[in-house]
Amino acid sequence: MTVRVQAEPVDAGAELNGFAQDRHDVGAVVSFTGVVRDTQGDLQEMLIEHYPGMTESAITKIADEAVTRWDLADVLVIHRYGPLKPGTPIMMVATAAAHRAAAFEAADFLMDYLKSRAPFWKKEVTSKGAAWVAAKDADEDALKRW
Amino acid sequence: MNVVYFAWVRERIGLPQETVQTDAATVNDLIAELKSREERYAAAFADTSALRVALDQELSDFDAPLAGVTEVAFFPPMTGG
């Protein structure tokens, strides 16, 4: 299992190529990359604040839970913080398993929990000023699926 | 006790963290103490349903006891991913 919280850019392709390499028991690798989206056509940057210390432990706890629930060969979670430009990756998740169902489900579970239980906060900076992104009820409701 | 603030809670209070001398028994008691101090705290803690709390870096509840806790964090609902 790998959990990284970093300011540096994420090269999703390189990360994926190196993930679960040489594991001959792996038949399925699923990945998700979250990208900074410009919803109004005016986004200059997205500022991501986090809680150093708790961020790493909260993500590790979520990844541990995924490993308990599904038969996974490996899990990767990378999440960035700091100022990010539109179109660049914010985070990525990858899961490896013998079969695809476990890899897909675990990746979906990880994303739902990272959204609402990992201590990150997003602030959008546009020409009109800066505003914190509010959490969505739908994101909280999504946790009930699990 | 170390009290830390994130996102708009940090901005509203005007500090990322501070040391607070308190005998507050629970998180709610600590909030009441802070609110009575200054308007900026009253503004930040006006609606606790819009806030989350972590005790020693674990998500917790507003009625949780503070005995043995060294760090309390207040922040809005998280927006990761």
Side-chain angles (χ1 to χ4, degrees), chain A residues 20-29 71-74 96-100:
Chain A
Q21 246 187 351
D22 305 325
R23 286 287 302 254
H24 294 173
D25 53 337
V26 167
V29 170
D71 194 6
L72 300 176
D74 206 356
H99 302 286
R100 72 179 186 276

Side-chain angles (χ1 to χ4, degrees), chain A residues 9-10 33-37 80 83-91:
Chain A
V10 173
T33 305
V35 177
V36 178
R37 186 164 57 103
R80 297 182 68 195
L84 307 183
K85 293 292 178 199
T88 58
I90 301 180
M91 55 91 63

Side-chain angles (χ1 to χ4, degrees), chain A residues 49-54 61 79 90-91 114-123 132-133 135, chain B residues 4-8 10-11 52 54 56-59 71-73 75-81:
Chain A
E49 182 169 329
H50 79 117
Y51 187 170
M54 180 174 168
K61 203 191 292 178
H79 204 302
I90 301 180
M91 55 91 63
L114 289 168
K115 274 242 168 245
S116 305
R117 292 291 181 274
F120 290 96
W121 301 275
K122 295 187 179 115
K123 191 181 206 180
W132 291 100
V133 175
Chain B
V4 296
Y5 309 108
F6 291 99
W8 60 255
R10 171 178 55 72
E11 291 178 339
R52 299 292 179 267
D56 289 333
Q57 306 195 350
E58 292 263 358
L59 275 179
E71 185 168 282
V72 180
F75 42 79
M78 295 158 272
T79 52

Side-chain angles (χ1 to χ4, degrees), chain B residues 31-44:
Chain B
I31 290 174
E33 246 182 62
L34 292 170
K35 280 171 83 171
S36 69
R37 272 192 184 179
E38 278 180 61
E39 178 50 37
R40 57 197 170 108
Y41 291 97

